[in-house]
Amino acid sequence: MKPTALLPRHTAAAVLLATLLCGPAAWADSSVDTPGVPPGPTLPPQAQGKPPSWAGKAAHKGVVAVSHPAAAEAGARALERGGNAIDAAAAIQFVLNVVEPQFSGIGGGGFMMVHLAKSGRTFAIDGRETAPAAATPTMFLFTGVSPNQLFVPTSSSGLSVGVPGTLAAVDLALKSWGTTTLAQALQPAIALAENGFRINRFLAANIASDGGRTSFQPETQAIFQPGGVKLVEGDLLVQKDLAKTFRLIAQQGAEVFYRGEIAPAIVSAQQRSRSPVLSEGVGRMTLADLRGYEAKIREPITGEYRGWQVASMSPPSSGGLTLVQMLKMLERFPIGQFGFGSPLTLHAMIESMRLAFADRAVWMGDEDFSYVPKKGLLDPTYVAARGGLIDLGARMATPAAGDPRPFDVAMNHAPIQLAAIPSEEEKGVHTTHFSVVDKWGNVVSYTTTIENTGGTGLTVPGYGFLLNNELTDFNFAPTFNAATGNPGANDVAPFKRPRSSMSPTIVLRDGKPFAAYGSPGGSTIINSVLNTTLNLIDHGMTIQQAIDAPRLSVTSAAGSVSCEGTGSFMQPRISVATQDALRALGHTSLGALGSDGCTANIGSVQGVIIDLHTGKQYGGADQRREGTVIALPR
Ligand code: GLU
C-alpha cells in the first residue's frame, strides 16, 4: 500500500503528515551515533523476500537469554548436560528465585510458552496464582479507603497473596516434556542459595528502597538487611532457609509445598496485614486452597501478522488478545516504510494501543470464570472496524471499548454494561522474562513474577521465599452491571485467576519457530512485546537491536504516552523533534512543545531467534537489567 493512500481526512493535519511522510525519519537526534540500527525507513522483511536479519554469536546447540548471568549459566549447563529447553527453563526459574528473589519464585506465578519440535505444537502452561475460596468481589474495599488509594496498603498485605503457581507449573512442564527430575533442576539453585552469590546493582537498588514500600516485613529484613544493615551491590547474599526449602522439594516433590510441611507456613505468613484496617488486610488462603491448586496447559492465542504466526498468552492473561489485536490493526499500515521511530509509526502504535487497551479493560479476564469473547475480539471484520478508527492525521478522542459479541461464535447473550468498567491503570514494573532454544529446536518463552518488587514483602518464615501480591491485578472495586448484576471480567471471585498482562510470545513461520521473547513491566509488557515484534518484522532488526531500541507504551484508552527518550540510556533516542511531531498530532500527554516527555524505562526483553534457513540460533538480552545470552557451544 502506498503511504499516500493513507492521507487523513483532517486537512488541518495533512500538511504536517505530508512533511512526516516525505521528510527524513525524525527518530534520532542527528548528533547521536546509532550504530547498527536502521536510521530510516526499511521495507518489511517479507517485501524484501527474506526473513529479518540476525547478528551476534551463532549457535546450534542451544541459546539461553536471561536477565541474570547466574541463572543463564544454570540454563546453559542444563543444555550442555544434554537436557532440553524445558529442563533448562526449570533450572533457570529456580536460580532466578535465588538471585532475583524480588522478581519471581515459588511464591508467585507465571506463564510458560513451550514449542515442541517433535510435534510442532505450541502450548502454554498457566501457573497463574488463584484467588482463595474465601475471596469475594468486595474483599479489597477497606473501611474508609477509596479504591484508588488501595494499591499501596493492599500490595503489602496478606490479603493480596494468590495461591502460588510457579512450582506446580515447572513441575508440570518437567513431567510433561522434561528429561530431568525436579530434584536435578533444583541443584544449581540449592548451591547458590546455600553458598551465596554477589548482589547485583538491581537487587541492591531494590533492597535500598525496600522494594518501594515503607519497610519490608521482619523476616524479609532479616534476609536483605541482616543485623539492620542493608546489603549493597557486591555483598554476598546467603539464603539458608531457601536452600532448605529447595532441598525439601527435591526430596519430597512439589507435594511438600502444596500439601506438606511448607503449606501451613504459607497460610500463616499471609495472615499478616499491612492495610490501614489491619483485620481487613489478612490473607484468606487456607490449606485447602493450596491443596487444590492446579497448573493448566492452555492453547495460546494465535494470529497472523504479515505472514508470521504470533502465538502469545491466552486468558487469564490479556497479553495475547491485546497483542494480536494491535498487530492486526497495524497490519494495514506500511510500518516498515514509515520507518522505525518515525512519528507516523509511533502515532499508529499509540492509537492501536489505545483501542486494544479499551477492549482489554472491558472484555478480558479469567475465561474459566467470565465470558471472554476471544473469537470476536480477533474477528477480522471487528478488528478492521476498530482499526478503522485510527486516523494518521490526528489523535482520536478517547475510544470506548467495542462490542465484539456479534462476532463471537461462542456468543453469550447476557447484556453487559460496557461503560461501568473502569479503565486500566498502569501498575507494576517488575517480574522477569527468559527465553530458551535447545539443539533440537524446542523453545521456551517464560514470563514469571511475584507481581510487585518483592511481592507483598512477606517472606514465609523459616522457608525463605517471598509471597506474591498478584491478587492486586484484579479490579479493586467490583464492576457490576446495574441492570443485570453481571460482574466485570476481572472482578474477584473464588478460585479465579487475576487478569495478567504477561505475554510470553513465540513467532513462527509456516509452523516453525523463528523467535521467542517477552518482558516484565505490568501492563506495559504487552507493548514491549509489540515494540519488539515490529522491530523484528517491520524494521528488519536483529534480536539485540530490537531489544535495545527505545520503547513506547500506552496502557489505557485515554492514551497517556510513556516512552524512552532523551533521558534514556538506550540508543537511538526519541528526540524532542519526534515528540513535537507527536504533540502536533494531539498527543499532549507528552508535555509542552520543545520539552522532553520521554523519560520512562520500559520493560526488559530477553529473546532468542532461530534462522529459518540455516537453523542457526541467536540470542538478545536487555541492558535495562543484567541481561545475559549464552550461545552453545561456547
Ligand atoms: N502482575 C503483572 C501481570 O501479571 C506482572 C507484574 C509486572 O510485570 O509488573 O501482568
mmCIF file of all heavy atoms in Angstrom, residues 27 40 61 106 262 292-293 306 314 338 340 350 386 405 422 459 479 533 585 587 610 628:
data_model
loop_
_atom_site.group_PDB
_atom_site.id
_atom_site.type_symbol
_atom_site.label_atom_id
_atom_site.label_comp_id
_atom_site.label_asym_id
_atom_site.label_seq_id
_atom_site.Cartn_x
_atom_site.Cartn_y
_atom_site.Cartn_z
ATOM 1 N N TRP A 27 13.622 10.322 14.125
ATOM 2 C CA TRP A 27 13.774 9.460 15.298
ATOM 3 C C TRP A 27 14.957 9.875 16.157
ATOM 4 O O TRP A 27 14.826 10.318 17.283
ATOM 5 C CB TRP A 27 13.956 8.020 14.812
ATOM 6 C CG TRP A 27 14.263 7.032 15.874
ATOM 7 C CD1 TRP A 27 15.459 6.437 16.122
ATOM 8 C CD2 TRP A 27 13.363 6.531 16.830
ATOM 9 N NE1 TRP A 27 15.346 5.580 17.175
ATOM 10 C CE2 TRP A 27 14.060 5.625 17.638
ATOM 11 C CE3 TRP A 27 12.020 6.752 17.121
ATOM 12 C CZ2 TRP A 27 13.478 4.941 18.687
ATOM 13 C CZ3 TRP A 27 11.439 6.068 18.163
ATOM 14 C CH2 TRP A 27 12.172 5.178 18.927
ATOM 15 N N GLY A 40 16.537 5.000 8.932
ATOM 16 C CA GLY A 40 15.340 5.488 8.262
ATOM 17 C C GLY A 40 14.436 4.346 7.874
ATOM 18 O O GLY A 40 14.562 3.238 8.387
ATOM 19 N N LYS A 61 23.694 -25.477 19.355
ATOM 20 C CA LYS A 61 23.449 -26.414 20.460
ATOM 21 C C LYS A 61 22.549 -25.796 21.523
ATOM 22 O O LYS A 61 22.450 -26.286 22.640
ATOM 23 C CB LYS A 61 24.787 -26.799 21.116
ATOM 24 C CG LYS A 61 25.728 -27.522 20.184
ATOM 25 C CD LYS A 61 25.558 -29.016 20.334
ATOM 26 C CE LYS A 61 26.613 -29.748 19.533
ATOM 27 N NZ LYS A 61 26.327 -31.143 19.363
ATOM 28 N N ILE A 106 9.011 -19.334 43.753
ATOM 29 C CA ILE A 106 7.963 -20.314 44.059
ATOM 30 C C ILE A 106 6.805 -19.698 44.841
ATOM 31 O O ILE A 106 5.753 -20.322 44.968
ATOM 32 C CB ILE A 106 8.537 -21.538 44.809
ATOM 33 C CG1 ILE A 106 9.264 -21.095 46.088
ATOM 34 C CG2 ILE A 106 9.469 -22.344 43.897
ATOM 35 C CD1 ILE A 106 9.739 -22.268 46.942
ATOM 36 N N ILE A 262 5.386 -27.234 54.115
ATOM 37 C CA ILE A 262 5.506 -25.814 53.739
ATOM 38 C C ILE A 262 4.131 -25.131 53.702
ATOM 39 O O ILE A 262 4.007 -23.930 53.946
ATOM 40 C CB ILE A 262 6.241 -25.663 52.378
ATOM 41 C CG1 ILE A 262 7.626 -26.332 52.466
ATOM 42 C CG2 ILE A 262 6.412 -24.199 51.992
ATOM 43 C CD1 ILE A 262 8.387 -26.407 51.147
ATOM 44 N N GLY A 292 -5.655 -27.578 46.531
ATOM 45 C CA GLY A 292 -6.451 -27.608 45.303
ATOM 46 C C GLY A 292 -5.793 -26.933 44.113
ATOM 47 O O GLY A 292 -6.352 -26.937 43.017
ATOM 48 N N TYR A 293 -4.603 -26.344 44.297
ATOM 49 C CA TYR A 293 -4.010 -25.586 43.182
ATOM 50 C C TYR A 293 -3.651 -26.508 42.016
ATOM 51 O O TYR A 293 -3.113 -27.593 42.198
ATOM 52 C CB TYR A 293 -2.738 -24.818 43.600
ATOM 53 C CG TYR A 293 -2.282 -23.986 42.412
ATOM 54 C CD1 TYR A 293 -2.842 -22.751 42.179
ATOM 55 C CD2 TYR A 293 -1.395 -24.501 41.461
ATOM 56 C CE1 TYR A 293 -2.521 -22.021 41.039
ATOM 57 C CE2 TYR A 293 -1.061 -23.789 40.321
ATOM 58 C CZ TYR A 293 -1.626 -22.549 40.118
ATOM 59 O OH TYR A 293 -1.322 -21.840 38.986
ATOM 60 N N ARG A 306 1.582 -10.181 8.851
ATOM 61 C CA ARG A 306 2.427 -10.102 7.657
ATOM 62 C C ARG A 306 3.063 -11.457 7.308
ATOM 63 O O ARG A 306 4.254 -11.544 6.989
ATOM 64 C CB ARG A 306 3.508 -9.048 7.820
ATOM 65 C CG ARG A 306 2.978 -7.633 8.114
ATOM 66 C CD ARG A 306 4.035 -6.575 7.939
ATOM 67 N NE ARG A 306 3.710 -5.329 8.617
ATOM 68 C CZ ARG A 306 2.889 -4.387 8.154
ATOM 69 N NH1 ARG A 306 2.286 -4.563 7.018
ATOM 70 N NH2 ARG A 306 2.661 -3.277 8.850
ATOM 71 N N SER A 314 -2.817 -16.759 26.384
ATOM 72 C CA SER A 314 -4.285 -16.721 26.394
ATOM 73 C C SER A 314 -4.785 -16.343 27.789
ATOM 74 O O SER A 314 -4.009 -16.313 28.744
ATOM 75 C CB SER A 314 -4.798 -18.103 25.988
ATOM 76 O OG SER A 314 -4.042 -19.111 26.620
ATOM 77 N N PHE A 338 7.133 3.575 6.849
ATOM 78 C CA PHE A 338 7.050 4.743 7.733
ATOM 79 C C PHE A 338 8.387 4.936 8.459
ATOM 80 O O PHE A 338 8.795 6.048 8.754
ATOM 81 C CB PHE A 338 5.947 4.553 8.778
ATOM 82 C CG PHE A 338 4.544 4.695 8.269
ATOM 83 C CD1 PHE A 338 3.469 4.450 9.121
ATOM 84 C CD2 PHE A 338 4.264 5.069 6.957
ATOM 85 C CE1 PHE A 338 2.167 4.570 8.685
ATOM 86 C CE2 PHE A 338 2.955 5.191 6.505
ATOM 87 C CZ PHE A 338 1.899 4.937 7.380
ATOM 88 N N PHE A 340 11.333 3.109 11.398
ATOM 89 C CA PHE A 340 11.457 2.843 12.831
ATOM 90 C C PHE A 340 11.474 4.171 13.607
ATOM 91 O O PHE A 340 12.288 5.045 13.335
ATOM 92 C CB PHE A 340 12.747 2.071 13.082
ATOM 93 C CG PHE A 340 13.108 1.998 14.532
ATOM 94 C CD1 PHE A 340 12.277 1.354 15.421
ATOM 95 C CD2 PHE A 340 14.264 2.584 15.007
ATOM 96 C CE1 PHE A 340 12.591 1.285 16.762
ATOM 97 C CE2 PHE A 340 14.592 2.516 16.345
ATOM 98 C CZ PHE A 340 13.753 1.876 17.225
ATOM 99 N N ILE A 350 0.532 4.146 19.000
ATOM 100 C CA ILE A 350 -0.205 4.720 20.137
ATOM 101 C C ILE A 350 -1.701 4.475 19.968
ATOM 102 O O ILE A 350 -2.386 4.026 20.894
ATOM 103 C CB ILE A 350 0.058 6.243 20.239
ATOM 104 C CG1 ILE A 350 1.488 6.522 20.658
ATOM 105 C CG2 ILE A 350 -0.923 6.904 21.212
ATOM 106 C CD1 ILE A 350 1.918 7.992 20.508
ATOM 107 N N ARG A 386 -12.454 -1.605 14.215
ATOM 108 C CA ARG A 386 -11.765 -0.910 15.318
ATOM 109 C C ARG A 386 -10.553 -0.159 14.774
ATOM 110 O O ARG A 386 -10.351 1.020 15.058
ATOM 111 C CB ARG A 386 -11.295 -1.922 16.371
ATOM 112 C CG ARG A 386 -12.389 -2.622 17.127
ATOM 113 C CD ARG A 386 -13.109 -1.729 18.090
ATOM 114 N NE ARG A 386 -12.313 -1.400 19.279
ATOM 115 C CZ ARG A 386 -12.619 -0.415 20.115
ATOM 116 N NH1 ARG A 386 -13.662 0.362 19.874
ATOM 117 N NH2 ARG A 386 -11.880 -0.182 21.189
ATOM 118 N N ARG A 405 -19.210 -9.020 20.686
ATOM 119 C CA ARG A 405 -20.092 -10.192 20.845
ATOM 120 C C ARG A 405 -20.767 -10.639 19.556
ATOM 121 O O ARG A 405 -20.866 -11.845 19.312
ATOM 122 C CB ARG A 405 -21.133 -9.927 21.937
ATOM 123 C CG ARG A 405 -20.517 -9.957 23.336
ATOM 124 C CD ARG A 405 -21.534 -9.639 24.388
ATOM 125 N NE ARG A 405 -22.041 -8.281 24.228
ATOM 126 C CZ ARG A 405 -23.149 -7.818 24.796
ATOM 127 N NH1 ARG A 405 -23.881 -8.610 25.547
ATOM 128 N NH2 ARG A 405 -23.529 -6.575 24.615
ATOM 129 N N PRO A 422 -14.058 0.379 34.818
ATOM 130 C CA PRO A 422 -13.049 1.435 34.815
ATOM 131 C C PRO A 422 -11.876 1.083 33.909
ATOM 132 O O PRO A 422 -11.589 -0.085 33.679
ATOM 133 C CB PRO A 422 -12.583 1.479 36.278
ATOM 134 C CG PRO A 422 -12.885 0.134 36.821
ATOM 135 C CD PRO A 422 -14.065 -0.390 36.058
ATOM 136 N N THR A 459 7.960 -12.655 53.663
ATOM 137 C CA THR A 459 8.711 -13.898 53.474
ATOM 138 C C THR A 459 8.083 -14.981 54.346
ATOM 139 O O THR A 459 7.668 -14.708 55.475
ATOM 140 C CB THR A 459 10.182 -13.695 53.897
ATOM 141 O OG1 THR A 459 10.779 -12.780 52.987
ATOM 142 C CG2 THR A 459 10.967 -14.999 53.880
ATOM 143 N N THR A 479 -17.277 -4.333 39.432
ATOM 144 C CA THR A 479 -17.820 -3.540 38.337
ATOM 145 C C THR A 479 -19.127 -4.168 37.877
ATOM 146 O O THR A 479 -19.194 -4.751 36.814
ATOM 147 C CB THR A 479 -16.807 -3.462 37.182
ATOM 148 O OG1 THR A 479 -16.379 -4.776 36.885
ATOM 149 C CG2 THR A 479 -15.605 -2.627 37.544
ATOM 150 N N THR A 533 8.180 -6.931 18.354
ATOM 151 C CA THR A 533 7.645 -7.611 17.167
ATOM 152 C C THR A 533 7.789 -6.727 15.929
ATOM 153 O O THR A 533 8.234 -7.185 14.865
ATOM 154 C CB THR A 533 6.158 -7.973 17.397
ATOM 155 O OG1 THR A 533 6.048 -8.708 18.617
ATOM 156 C CG2 THR A 533 5.613 -8.817 16.255
ATOM 157 N N LEU A 585 0.211 16.051 16.539
ATOM 158 C CA LEU A 585 -0.878 15.131 16.205
ATOM 159 C C LEU A 585 -1.900 15.031 17.339
ATOM 160 O O LEU A 585 -2.906 14.345 17.206
ATOM 161 C CB LEU A 585 -0.310 13.740 15.889
ATOM 162 C CG LEU A 585 0.475 13.630 14.577
ATOM 163 C CD1 LEU A 585 1.294 12.347 14.523
ATOM 164 C CD2 LEU A 585 -0.469 13.679 13.377
ATOM 165 N N HIS A 587 -0.962 14.379 20.836
ATOM 166 C CA HIS A 587 -0.539 13.581 21.998
ATOM 167 C C HIS A 587 0.058 14.495 23.066
ATOM 168 O O HIS A 587 1.266 14.525 23.301
ATOM 169 C CB HIS A 587 0.438 12.491 21.566
ATOM 170 C CG HIS A 587 -0.155 11.561 20.568
ATOM 171 N ND1 HIS A 587 -1.180 10.692 20.885
ATOM 172 C CD2 HIS A 587 0.061 11.401 19.243
ATOM 173 C CE1 HIS A 587 -1.544 10.013 19.807
ATOM 174 N NE2 HIS A 587 -0.810 10.434 18.794
ATOM 175 N N ILE A 610 15.752 -18.175 15.771
ATOM 176 C CA ILE A 610 16.256 -19.342 15.033
ATOM 177 C C ILE A 610 16.177 -19.000 13.540
ATOM 178 O O ILE A 610 15.082 -18.710 13.029
ATOM 179 C CB ILE A 610 15.413 -20.598 15.316
ATOM 180 C CG1 ILE A 610 15.381 -20.858 16.824
ATOM 181 C CG2 ILE A 610 15.974 -21.816 14.581
ATOM 182 C CD1 ILE A 610 14.009 -20.963 17.382
ATOM 183 N N THR A 628 21.680 -11.480 29.924
ATOM 184 C CA THR A 628 22.824 -12.320 29.543
ATOM 185 C C THR A 628 22.392 -13.354 28.520
ATOM 186 O O THR A 628 21.369 -14.017 28.703
ATOM 187 C CB THR A 628 23.347 -13.075 30.796
ATOM 188 O OG1 THR A 628 23.647 -12.115 31.806
ATOM 189 C CG2 THR A 628 24.584 -13.898 30.477
#
